[in-house]
Amino acid sequence: MMTLTPTHTKLASYVGYLTQAITINFAPLLFVTFQREYGLTLAQIGSIIAVGFLVQFSADAMAAKFGSRLPPRATVITAHLCAVIGLCSMALLPDLLPSPYLGLMIANALATLGGGLIEVEISPIVEACPTGGKRAAMSLLHSFYSWGFAGTVLLSTLFFTLFGVSQWRILACLMAIVPAIGALAFCFVPIYTLEADEAEANTPFSTLLRSGAFWLFLLLMFCAGAAEQIMGQWTSGFAETGLGVSKTLGDLLGPCAFAILMGTARILYAAVSRRLSLHRYMTVCALLCTLTYLIAALSPLPVISLIGCAACGYTIAVLWPGTYSLSAARMPHGGVRMFAMLALAGDLGGIVGPFIASSIATRFNDDLRPAFLFSVIFPLTISVSLILFYRKHKKINRNRT
């Protein structure tokens, strides 16, 4: 009988992040189809999105509240099963219930619940694996979200080209195979927990809240989530409106290229992380991300702006997983509760950032360039915060010696 190792745990975790990417990015590809088939309004589509985010927030908050009291194996298996049920329900419930709108809302809520629990539970499991190269492992783990994002767009585009958008229900059920594999894998792979969780003594909220470093990491996660989701969500629309290309080509040139470059950057960082200072690397990447936003906003040529959008995926890649690694190294007893709070901050940024960007674009007649220009504030805040914090930290260490 084969002995399962931490390597198998990491492989199962990669499937978990593929699942998270599917639960977040599959339904939005079908919003126009939902409007056409079920007669939904934009307001109803918006409420489906809002409820999904509310459920994801609730999952993060629940993990932050109960911390180590949640059994990790049972929780992560439940998360994958929620994703399976949610994706299959998306294909079935709208036609079974009297209200297709209600069916889609329930299905999307179940799927996003699974994705939210996966985000909270799997990162600390991988961080706790008894292997070296923690930063590389975290970056590689998050690269699978990028590949899942790109794969969802590519496979959906290919499927719809071959079989037509009308067959989307079949594709939704096929997508559910991925979380089903993840649920099965986590029934058997070894589960590792952080030191604080093993002692059932996670750092109390009061201790975390008194830490300036903790507030810094929350700010970094908020800004990373905002910068990532603004570009990830709006590049397709920019490709269509700025270049006048079709929806299919817009998806390929926009979010798909963004996701591929983001995944590539995370894999490359995982390969060289031992030779780099993480906070310096993050600072440089945040500055380069600021530059890509400026290119997208200010270039007179739409093609150059689109290149800036895609390049943003490369520069933004390390900021989210890097913040996890920095926080785990500086506050090793934070436990699942700390990871949950960080995920909550990142998700909040992922909601607030795109909302502000869309509001700005609306004020300028749906022109995304002013929105991209404003969004420079997020990566710039990350770079300035890291520079100031680590200068202060270095000065304190010199005074102690």
Side-chain angles (χ1 to χ4, degrees):
M1 184 177 180
M2 182 177 68
T3 301
L4 298 178
T5 67
T7 299
H8 297 98
T9 303
K10 289 181 179 180
L11 291 174
S13 299
Y14 299 155
V15 176
Y17 264 65
L18 292 176
T19 296
Q20 187 193 27
I22 292 171
T23 60
I24 292 174
N25 298 295
F26 178 65
L29 298 175
L30 294 168
F31 283 160
V32 175
T33 302
F34 294 157
Q35 286 182 272
R36 183 177 61 250
E37 286 198 13
Y38 300 120
L40 302 185
T41 64
L42 283 176
Q44 288 175 315
I45 293 293
S47 64
I48 291 173
I49 297 172
V51 169
F53 275 122
L54 180 62
V55 170
Q56 189 170 339
F57 254 62
S58 299
D60 293 344
M62 180 176 63
K65 173 69 174 177
F66 296 107
S68 60
R69 282 178 278 176
L70 293 173
R73 187 185 300 277
T75 304
V76 78
I77 291 172
T78 300
H80 284 82
L81 292 178
C82 284
V84 172
I85 296 171
L87 289 168
C88 292
S89 297
M90 195 176 296
L92 300 174
L93 283 184
D95 299 314
L96 293 177
L97 295 181
S99 170
Y101 166 63
L102 179 61
L104 289 172
M105 181 172 289
I106 293 172
N108 190 58
L110 285 170
T112 53
L113 173 62
L117 288 173
I118 285 171
E119 167 69 23
V120 170
E121 289 292 331
I122 288 185
S123 288
I125 288 174
V126 171
E127 181 70 25
C129 281
T131 57
K134 299 291 188 182
R135 291 181 295 167
M138 191 62 67
S139 184
L140 186 59
L141 171 68
H142 282 258
S143 76
F144 277 84
Y145 174 84
S146 306
W147 301 126
F149 181 2
T152 299
V153 177
L154 288 172
L155 290 175
S156 298
T157 299
L158 178 62
F159 183 90
F160 295 149
T161 300
L162 293 176
F163 304 105
V165 180
S166 62
Q167 301 301 316
W168 65 268
R169 295 171 183 80
I170 296 175
L171 182 59
C173 293
L174 291 175
M175 288 287 187
I177 294 174
V178 176
I181 292 172
L184 182 62
F186 273 104
C187 289
F188 301 102
V189 299
I191 299 292
Y192 303 94
T193 55
L194 296 168
E195 179 184 345
D197 301 323
E198 291 175 353
E200 296 185 349
N202 283 4
T203 303
F205 268 122
S206 58
T207 302
L208 286 175
L209 294 176
R210 287 195 297 268
S211 169
F214 177 66
W215 286 100
L216 169 73
F217 297 137
L218 289 179
L219 175 64
L220 296 184
M221 286 296 285
F222 176 87
C223 292
E228 182 177 317
Q229 290 302 315
I230 288 169
M231 197 62 80
Q233 290 185 19
W234 289 110
T235 46
S236 177
F238 182 75
E240 289 185 71
T241 58
L243 297 179
V245 299
S246 66
K247 177 69 168 69
T248 298
L249 191 57
D251 286 343
L252 296 177
L253 293 176
C256 189
F258 173 88
I260 289 173
L261 286 174
M262 184 164 61
T264 301
R266 285 173 173 170
I267 286 181
L268 290 177
Y269 175 75
V272 301
S273 61
R274 292 179 183 273
R275 301 193 295 270
L276 297 174
S277 166
L278 177 57
H279 82 268
R280 290 176 182 172
Y281 185 76
M282 288 178 62
T283 302
V284 172
C285 285
L287 290 171
L288 291 175
C289 183
T290 302
L291 179 61
T292 62
Y293 264 100
L294 288 173
I295 291 172
L298 301 177
S299 172
L301 299 176
V303 173
I304 301 299
S305 292
L306 189 59
I307 291 173
C309 294
C312 180
Y314 193 95
T315 62
I316 199 78
V318 76
L319 300 184
W320 186 298
T323 302
Y324 274 145
S325 295
L326 287 178
S327 60
R330 185 163 180 86
M331 295 182 289
H333 299 292
V336 171
R337 177 174 291 170
M338 180 183 70
F339 276 87
M341 290 295 292
L342 292 172
L344 194 64
D347 290 339
L348 181 62
I351 296 172
V352 173
F355 175 78
I356 294 175
S358 64
S359 300
I360 293 173
T362 300
R363 291 179 64 88
F364 287 87
N365 297 318
D366 294 333
D367 186 357
L368 287 168
R369 293 179 187 274
F372 289 157
L373 185 60
F374 168 82
S375 300
V376 165
I377 190 174
F378 297 114
L380 190 60
T381 298
I382 293 174
S383 58
V384 172
S385 298
L386 284 171
I387 291 170
L388 294 177
F389 180 80
Y390 280 96
R391 277 186 178 178
K392 179 180 178 182
H393 182 64
K394 189 175 180 179
K395 183 178 179 181
I396 291 173
N397 287 340
R398 280 201 308 265
N399 292 337
R400 285 177 178 174
T401 58

